[in-house]
Every structure is written in C-alpha cells, then in structure tokens.
C-alpha cells in the first residue's frame, strides 16, 4: 500500500499523526509504504507553493492519500493560486476526485454529545455524497472585476455539464444499492437552471436503477429536514456547494465535526481521505483536537482504496471500544467521561486494536 501522507496545517498535523499510528497498527509494517508531502501553508514554507509540484507527483504515484487539513489565518486575502486553503481544491481537481463520501454515523456512546434530542438522532446512519469537482467552486468566469461604472463586482459561476452530473449520479445510485436503497437528490431546481439540469439528469439515470427509491428535495428544505428528522435519509446526493454546507450540518448530528471522516474518489480506486473538519488554527498545537475523524478516514481508505472492509470494521470497533471506555476529547466531553488529549486518544485506539487482535 503506497500512501501519501499530507498532514498540512494546524490540527491537521496532530490528527494525521494519530491516524498514521492506526494505519501502522492495522496494516502489517511490510505492506505499508508511507511518503510524507507538504501541502497548504506547509507547502508554502517548504517550496513556496501551497501545492508543490513534488507533492502533486507524490499524490499521483500513491494508491491513496491521507490528508489532514490545509489553511492558515488570513488565507482568503491571498490570490487563489497562493492560498493554502485552496491547495486541497487544486489537488481534488488535479486527481479528478469528483465523488466525496461523507457518512454521518452516530456512535451510540455519543448520543448525549449532540445538540439534538436523543430520539431524533438515535440510530442515525446517513451518507452525504457531495460532487467535488464542479459547481461554483470551479466554474469560470470567476474573480473580482471592475464594472463599466467603476465599482467592483465579485463573480462566480455555477455550472455542471450533463456528463459531470451523470457520473456522480451513478456513484450515488451504486452507494444507495449497498445501503437501504433510498436516494435523495438535493438541488435548487426552482431557481437555478444548473440545478434544473441536475434534477433532469438524476431522474433519467434513476430509470436505470428501478430498485432504488429516488426523491428530490430543494436544498433549503433539505437543511430543515436534516435537523427535524434526519433518520428519514439514507443517501443524499448533491452538488459541491450544497454538499459542503449540508455535511457540516450533518456532522453536528453525530456530536461533533471532529467525528466525521470522508473519502474523495475518482474514476479508479485511488482516493483522498480526510477529516471533514479544517485546520482550526484556534486550537492547533495544544493536543486537544479530536483525532477520530482522521482515524475513521483511515477506515474509509481501507474499504474504498484497498478493498479491506474487515480492516475498516476493526477500526470502527476499536473506536467504539474507546468511546465505551469513556474516553473523550474536549469536543465530545460529557459528564462522567474522561477527558483525554489528541495523542492519548490515538494511543487508546491503537491499544484497542491490539487488544482485539490478541
Ligand atoms: C471541506 C472544506 C473545504 C471545502 C475547504 C477547506 C476548501 O470546507 O472539505 O468541506 O470547502 O471543500
Ligand atoms: Mg466544508
């Protein structure tokens, strides 16, 4: 297994270190080849570019990428190409990672950590599938321009081609088939032509999957339904921008964004695996970040890039065992639990893996 390790910035470094410990614990030493590469602010420091050529080359050669977080304070004031936070977007685009799996799964041990009532979220297990290579994020033209009357105007362009919608649709129906066969497509077809096309293509592709129940919901209503009755959803498929927003909202159903892993896949088995959270500069370097999203991203890597669902299951069980033992990082702390730091949480998961194997 050739894995590129890109810790990036802020808490990305801390949580990735714990994820690597878990990776080494589940995969026998000999089978693992880890290559570390700088990205984001770390890329700027190392090579003057948030996505150095060498980092991209390492990513291209790897079977999978373990990514932490990219972004530094004040990021948004830099031009796009020099912006640490944009390195991730460039990497996703360069590798055609168009399908972003963001499962929101509630560990029963964390039912009290969510801000929602227990009965609303008990048994929650949904998947947000976010299109990752198009939409407002990449549409041209983009920029801040000066109009004829001399005032500045910000421009971004929402666009999706039919084939882009088709390829994410097939991934979505395929994912629903492996779950409870319910797919909810989220759009804004009542206002946006791009999204009208989205709905038309989803509907057409749906005729090839008569065993999957397809519904369509506008994004504003979807946000409300996610908070009111999230268990009605199995797989939700949506565009890049709506998926970005809805997946953060879904994270809170599980107790903390520190619990949410993700996989970004392209046409082949290569994938990029990262926690949904960002670099969190406000808590970086203090050993308080929750490494479980990064650790659960390793589980997704095992499943999607290396066809090793058993290894993924072992990681899940180890995380559950640690939570059942009462260990909690600050973001998921509750009365009666034991507060631990980032490294202690990672070590506990590794110990649980070894204990299960013994
Ligand atoms: C995410 C993040 C990124 C995004 C940022 C860091 C560019 O919020 O992965 O959800 O918007 O895609
Ligand atoms: Mg986001």
């Amino acid at each position: 297994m050739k894995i590129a390790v890109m810790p990036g910035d802020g808490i990305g470094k801390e949580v990735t270190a714990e994820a690597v410990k878990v990776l080494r614990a589940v995969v026998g030493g000999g089978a693992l080849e880890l290559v570390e590469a700088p990205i984001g602010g770390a890329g700027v420091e190392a090579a003057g570019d948030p996505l150095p050529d060498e980092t991209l080359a390492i990513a291209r050669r790897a079977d999978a990428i373990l990514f932490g977080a990219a972004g530094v304070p004040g990021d948004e004031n830099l031009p796009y190409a020099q912006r640490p936070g944009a390195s991730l977007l460039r990497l996703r685009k360069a590798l055609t990672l168009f399908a972003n799996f963001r499962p929101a799964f509630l560990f029963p041990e964390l039912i009290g950590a969510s801000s929602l009532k227990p009965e609303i979220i008990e048994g929650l297990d949904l998947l947000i599938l976010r299109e990752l290579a198009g939409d407002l994020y990449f549409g041209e033209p983009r920029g801040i321009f000066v109009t004829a009357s001399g005032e500045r105007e910000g421009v971004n362009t929402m666009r999706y081609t039919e084939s882009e919608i088709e390829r994410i649709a097939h991934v979505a129906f395929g994912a629903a088939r492996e779950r409870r066969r319910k797919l909810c497509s989220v759009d804004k077809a009542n206002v946006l032509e791009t999204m009208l096309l989205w709905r038309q293509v989803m509907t057409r592709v749906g005729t090839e999957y008569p065993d999957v129940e397809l519904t369509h919901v506008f994004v504003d209503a979807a946000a409300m339904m996610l908070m009111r009755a999230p268990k009605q959803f199995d797989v939700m498929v949506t565009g890049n921008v709506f998926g970005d927003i809805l997946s953060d909202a879904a994270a809170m159903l599980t107790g903390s964004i520190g619990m949410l892993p993700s996989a970004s896949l392209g046409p082949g088995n290569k994938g990029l695996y990262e926690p949904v959270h960002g670099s969190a500069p406000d808590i970086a370097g203090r050993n308080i970040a929750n490494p479980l999203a990064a650790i659960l991203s390793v589980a997704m890597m095992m499943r999607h890039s290396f066809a090793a669902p058993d290894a993924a299951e072992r990681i899940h069980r180890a995380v559950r065992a640690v939570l059942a033992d009462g260990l909690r990082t600050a973001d998921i702390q509750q009365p009666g639990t034991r507060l631990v730091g980032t490294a202690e949480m990672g070590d506990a998961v590794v110990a649980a893996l070894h204990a299960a194997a013994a």
Side-chain angles (χ1 to χ4, degrees), residues 70 85 88-89 92 102 130 132 137 240 244 247-248 274 276:
L88 175 58
L89 303 178
R92 289 169 178 167
R102 299 191 157 187
R130 169 187 178 195
L132 206 56
Y137 273 58
N240 206 344
D244 179 43
S247 59
D248 269 32
E274 54 157 334
V276 169

Side-chain angles (χ1 to χ4, degrees), residues 158 184-192 195 199 216-226 233 236-239 241-246:
M158 180 177 265
C184 176
S185 172
V186 178
D187 62 40
K188 191 71 187 174
N190 51 339
V191 179
L192 305 169
M195 289 287 127
R199 185 174 287 219
H216 304 274
V217 176
F218 298 138
V219 64
D220 46 354
M224 182 184 71
M225 290 157 77
L226 253 186
F233 296 114
M236 302 176 91
V237 62
T238 189
V241 176
F242 299 160
D244 179 43
I245 300 164
L246 291 179

Side-chain angles (χ1 to χ4, degrees), residues 236-315:
M236 302 176 91
V237 62
T238 189
N240 206 344
V241 176
F242 299 160
D244 179 43
I245 300 164
L246 291 179
S247 59
D248 269 32
M252 290 321 293
L253 305 172
T254 71
S256 165
I257 196 163
M259 293 301 300
L260 226 68
S262 77
S264 304
L265 306 178
N269 291 334
K270 191 203 288 276
L272 182 148
Y273 301 86
E274 54 157 334
V276 169
H277 65 70
S279 58
D282 52 325
I283 62 162
R286 291 163 52 196
N287 191 40
I288 60 175
N290 186 347
L292 292 178
I295 288 170
L296 292 167
S297 298
V298 174
M300 295 192 81
M301 177 191 289
M302 290 299 124
R303 194 181 294 280
H304 291 285
S305 283
F306 299 113
D310 45 320
E313 275 308 311
R314 278 161 57 213
I315 295 173

